[in-house]
Amino acid sequence: MSRKVTALRDFYDEAEKVTRREGEEFEASEERIAQLNACGRKQCFQKLVREHRTGRPTKAELLDEAAVLGVEVPEGATNPEIYKLIAERKGE
């Protein structure tokens, strides 16, 4: 079963032989999502893709996105505060 995911940063998808760009949406199986997010390449230190879901993002998802964008999140920040920092970094 495939799920829609979003690339959190640019990366070369070796399985599909294509470069995925930050923000690009594509379909991937649960197994492939796990492979991408657990990659051992030297530049991989963050999750590469985020699954689309309904509802609000979890704190962990917000912290992952903040880390990818290079946003420093103060200890004890709430989800709305983290969301605001991310939006400011993206210029929204």
Side-chain angles (χ1 to χ4, degrees), residues 27-46:
E27 295 284 326
S29 68
E30 290 185 39
E31 180 181 353
R32 184 68 181 133
I33 293 167
Q35 289 172 346
L36 289 168
N37 285 336
C39 69
R41 294 179 202 88
K42 62 184 176 183
Q43 80 262 21
C44 287
F45 59 93
Q46 301 288 328

Side-chain angles (χ1 to χ4, degrees), residues 7-90:
L8 295 174
R9 61 186 178 88
D10 293 356
F11 69 95
Y12 183 72
D13 186 342
E14 293 177 7
E16 298 293 325
K17 306 292 186 217
V18 65
T19 299
R20 303 289 184 186
R21 299 291 178 202
E22 181 180 341
E24 178 182 348
E25 295 181 355
F26 60 99
E27 295 284 326
S29 68
E30 290 185 39
E31 180 181 353
R32 184 68 181 133
I33 293 167
Q35 289 172 346
L36 289 168
N37 285 336
C39 69
R41 294 179 202 88
K42 62 184 176 183
Q43 80 262 21
C44 287
F45 59 93
Q46 301 288 328
K47 289 185 176 182
L48 290 176
V49 296
R50 178 181 64 230
E51 292 182 62
H52 287 255
R53 53 190 294 259
T54 58
R56 294 184 231 173
T58 65
K59 188 165 198 165
E61 291 169 334
L62 289 171
L63 290 172
D64 282 344
E65 186 171 0
V68 168
L69 294 171
V71 174
E72 288 188 38
V73 177
E75 189 174 330
T78 64
N79 287 11
E81 291 168 339
I82 299 168
Y83 185 83
K84 183 178 177 186
L85 291 170
I86 291 169
E88 287 172 357
R89 175 58 58 98
K90 289 181 171 179

